Amino acid sequence: MSVPAEVTKGAHPARRCGECHAAIHQTWAASAHANADRSPIYRAMRRASGRDDCDRCHAPLRAWVPGDERLAAEGVTCDVCHTLRDVRPDRHDAALELDLTSAVRYGPRCDAEDHYFHRMGCSPLFSRSELCGGCHQRNAHTSEAVEFGHDGPAAVADVTCQSCHMPGVLGEVAVGWSAGTTVSDHGMYGPGDELRARAIELRLRVVPEDRRLRVELEVTNADAGHSLPSGLPGRRIVVRVAGIGADGAAIAGDEWIYAKILVDGSGVEVPFHVAQRVQSDTCLAPGEVRHERSWLPRDGVVEVRAEVLEHALSATIAKAVGVSMPEPVQLTSARAEVPPP
């Protein structure tokens, strides 16, 4: 691809943007967007697949500024979103139209004034889910359509992706702006990772029955506008329960896995880029309530603990692509004391 020199000159590293937009830059720098090209999982998947077409979403600038690998490796960086003129969501590809030649940076604000570094562009696209849909609603390249987008009732209710993933917080848009301004959070999970914290509700009930404990769990996708886990197949939601003894050690336990499992022709779980079909889909739909039951021994158990964990990959896929298993993230937990016999 031949890229005009003015395009290459028109792209800037995020640190330049951070000179004026320090608070936003700091939040973005810790986000999945900033690590889209650098994450070990993505790099392992890219090596295993032998393809570079995923760069269209994970490192969009690689196609626009060839030769500037440092800038391309910033992933979904400032100049990806804020030079975006148009996006055409497509379930098989990502069509992003960037404007890197006019020195205009687009956003949702229509009250910002031009300044020496760039001019201001007000774009209604930034208030619509289409902005995200170019990359976050796609199918894997398999013999059967394997959806890993973000469809859900939120879309039907006209709740945008940004309203949840980029909520307004008080802050400084740029140096010199009032601190009382509302700024879109660029961390993608809300301040304090609150989206994860409120996504799933967990209720625990323990009923002693003779020498056993009947453990009943109610797991609810309470606040996500899409299924959980969402995104890349291979992710897991693990619901785990354990009977705890007086010494704090687990005596017995049980677990349930919510996931979309992709397999090859012989039924073995594989990464999405070589999958041929969906073997099962137990993801927790928006608003869905799942009831789980387990029986634990009563003898020696003084407490029952339950937790919901998010795993970025299954052990099978991690091994297949040659990456270490990431540590799980606890989404929520519950506990209940067991009365003595």
Side-chain angles (χ1 to χ4, degrees):
M1 174 182 178
S2 178
V3 181
E6 61 267 24
V7 172
T8 303
K9 292 179 181 179
H12 301 282
R15 59 180 171 75
R16 285 299 308 276
C17 305
E19 293 173 8
C20 290
H21 305 280
I24 294 175
H25 175 266
Q26 183 178 13
T27 305
W28 166 84
S31 73
H33 275 175
N35 290 286
D37 183 61
R38 296 191 293 261
S39 80
I41 292 176
Y42 175 66
R43 301 310 299 177
M45 286 281 192
R46 195 177 186 277
R47 286 193 301 269
S49 69
R51 296 185 345 216
D52 60 8
D53 55 326
C54 294
D55 284 352
R56 296 170 186 171
C57 284
H58 283 262
L61 289 184
R62 189 164 281 131
W64 293 83
V65 288
D68 192 342
E69 185 56 29
R70 185 173 60 176
L71 179 55
E74 289 189 346
V76 186
T77 189
C78 309
D79 274 355
V80 171
C81 293
H82 291 284
T83 68
L84 193 61
R85 289 294 305 274
D86 193 19
V87 57
R88 294 179 293 281
D90 186 283
R91 293 180 183 272
H92 300 282
D93 205 349
L96 308 179
E97 181 184 324
L98 307 185
D99 173 12
L100 289 166
T101 62
S102 67
V104 175
R105 293 302 178 265
Y106 299 91
R109 306 193 69 95
C110 297
D111 58 347
E113 297 180 357
D114 296 344
H115 58 90
Y116 80 96
F117 193 71
H118 63 74
R119 300 198 303 277
M120 305 302 302
C122 174
S123 171
L125 180 62
F126 282 75
S127 300
R128 302 200 303 261
S129 292
E130 288 93 327
L131 180 76
C132 313
C135 287
H136 289 281
Q137 184 168 287
R138 300 188 65 193
N139 284 342
H141 299 279
T142 63
S143 58
E144 176 181 316
V146 180
E147 177 73 20
F148 58 98
H150 288 73
D151 291 337
V156 177
D158 199 29
V159 176
T160 66
C161 305
Q162 297 93 318
S163 62
C164 291
H165 286 276
M166 300 188 73
V169 297
L170 291 180
E172 184 182 72
V173 177
V175 174
W177 279 67
S178 167
T181 304
T182 299
V183 184
S184 296
D185 182 85
H186 282 61
M188 299 301 142
Y189 283 106
D193 220 22
E194 65 177 21
L195 279 191
R196 279 195 173 107
R198 70 178 197 234
I200 291 182
E201 290 183 357
L202 175 65
R203 294 183 180 179
L204 168 65
R205 182 169 179 255
V206 179
V207 181
E209 292 188 1
D210 299 326
R211 301 179 63 180
R212 298 191 302 173
L213 298 172
R214 187 176 82 241
V215 180
E216 297 178 350
L217 296 176
E218 184 179 281
V219 187
T220 306
N221 181 347
D223 201 60
H226 48 73
S227 295
L228 296 172
S230 64
L232 183 72
R235 292 178 177 174
R236 300 283 192 269
I237 295 293
V238 177
V239 180
R240 189 172 291 161
V241 66
I244 307 298
D247 61 354
I251 294 175
D254 208 347
E255 73 174 28
W256 300 265
I257 296 176
Y258 305 158
K260 179 177 286 188
I261 309 296
L262 307 185
V263 296
D264 61 14
S266 60
V268 175
E269 185 183 13
V270 292
F272 74 92
H273 59 271
V274 292
Q276 295 188 25
R277 61 185 176 89
V278 178
Q279 183 185 68
S280 62
D281 186 349
T282 57
C283 293
L284 196 63
E288 182 182 358
V289 179
R290 199 81 54 89
H291 295 276
E292 310 291 3
R293 176 178 290 185
S294 180
W295 297 91
L296 300 178
R298 185 173 185 181
D299 188 31
V301 175
V302 299
E303 183 182 64
V304 174
R305 298 176 187 171
E307 61 180 348
V308 179
L309 303 172
E310 181 184 48
H311 289 257
L313 278 182
S314 70
T316 301
I317 292 182
K319 182 178 180 181
V321 299
V323 67
S324 299
M325 274 289 289
E327 288 295 316
V329 175
Q330 186 184 78
L331 300 182
T332 189
S333 62
R335 58 199 302 167
E337 293 184 357
V338 177

